[in-house]
Each structure stands twice: as C-alpha cells, then as structure tokens.
Amino acid sequence: MPLNIKDLKISSTDFEPLGRLRDEHAGDKGNVLPKLTVSGVPAEAKELAVICHDPDAPLANGFTHWTVYGIDPKTTDLSDAQEKFRVGPNGAGGMQYYGPQPPAGHGDHHYYFWVYALDTNVEGTPTREEFLEKYAGNIIEQNRIVGIYENK
C-alpha cells in the first residue's frame, strides 16, 4: 500500500514526532489517550479512521492499541473520539484505547497513530488487519505521528 501524503496530518500536543509518550498514556499507568488533532483532510473524504499500532510488539503482526471508525471528516480534535465515534477492537480484545505496555526491558517501542482519509464509509468495527485488507483501495490519503515508549 503506497503512503499517500499530501496535506493530511495527525499531530499531538502531548508528544512530538518520535518523542516519548508520558507514563500517563501507558496501559498500566493511567491509560489516558494522548491529545490528537487532524488537519488537511481532503475535500472528497467521506470518513476518517484512526489506528494506533505497535509494530515492535513481539507478536507476528505487532499489537493494535486503538481502532476508531466513523470519524466525520470535519473533525479536528480527537479528544472525545472514544465516546463520539465507533471504537473497534484492540489487540487485547477490548473495544477502547489500550495504552503502551511493552514487556519490561524490551527497549523502545514505536506507537504509530495513523489517520486514514477514505472515499467510502467503513462498515462495523473491523480489526486493524481486516480494515487494511478491505479498505486499502479506498484510502485517499494517510499520515501518522509516532511516539516512543519503554517500560523500564
């Protein structure tokens, strides 16, 4: 899947790109969703989706920490995304944000917060893998911000 980036951006006031996520965002230390904002959404977008994924997790497909669908393309602030939009499954089987919780001593893990602008609406609440398989051809633009966390 090509990385289509034009104007779409996802950013955070809680961490810089490739910056450290604070303990309060960790799954076992507060589990607070970082503040995320979206800008530059293409005019033809019908829906946005956001996925947080850790490819460094010691699992075949990494670990998915958050999936959110049905985001109105006019949305800029994702602070209330948990309550306002369709939250899909995380890697632990729950339906909410599950903050970083890498194995102790496993080193830095990278948390990719992806935003996808789609030319169609996502049906239901697919897993990350199901979403990418079914909707890859519907992604107009995508972008990400990456945070780092280590469980010492």
Side-chain angles (χ1 to χ4, degrees):
M1 170 176 22
L3 184 60
N4 304 315
I5 300 175
K6 187 175 175 189
D7 297 318
L8 183 64
K9 297 202 178 6
I10 185 167
S11 58
S12 179
T13 55
D14 284 334
F15 66 97
E16 294 292 321
L18 293 177
R20 297 245 169 233
L21 291 161
R22 297 190 306 262
D23 281 347
E24 71 185 55
H25 302 298
D28 59 345
K29 297 180 177 112
N31 206 44
V32 175
L33 177 68
K35 291 181 177 122
L36 300 167
T37 57
V38 175
S39 62
V41 175
E44 64 272 27
K46 290 191 185 338
E47 180 175 316
L48 300 177
V50 175
I51 295 177
C52 177
H53 185 255
D54 171 11
D56 302 318
L59 300 166
N61 291 315
F63 189 88
T64 300
H65 288 266
W66 197 42
T67 58
V68 186
Y69 306 106
I71 302 171
D72 185 316
K74 293 180 180 75
T75 300
T76 57
D77 182 1
L78 296 175
S79 299
D80 58 356
Q82 282 282 127
E83 297 80 32
K84 204 170 177 185
F85 305 109
R86 291 190 325 275
V87 178
N90 60 41
M95 302 289 268
Q96 73 277 338
Y97 170 75
Y98 186 91
Q101 197 173 343
H106 204 252
D108 283 345
H109 279 227
H110 297 78
Y111 297 87
Y112 287 72
F113 290 85
W114 285 96
V115 60
Y116 301 95
L118 300 144
D119 66 4
T120 190
N121 294 315
V122 175
E123 296 176 16
T125 53
T127 65
R128 172 186 167 269
E129 292 80 7
E130 291 167 342
F131 167 78
L132 292 173
E133 183 177 318
K134 185 171 182 180
Y135 295 98
N138 299 103
I139 297 171
I140 302 166
E141 285 188 47
Q142 59 187 3
N143 207 336
R144 81 274 187 244
I145 184 171
V146 182
I148 296 172
Y149 189 78
E150 178 181 9
N151 194 359
K152 296 184 182 185

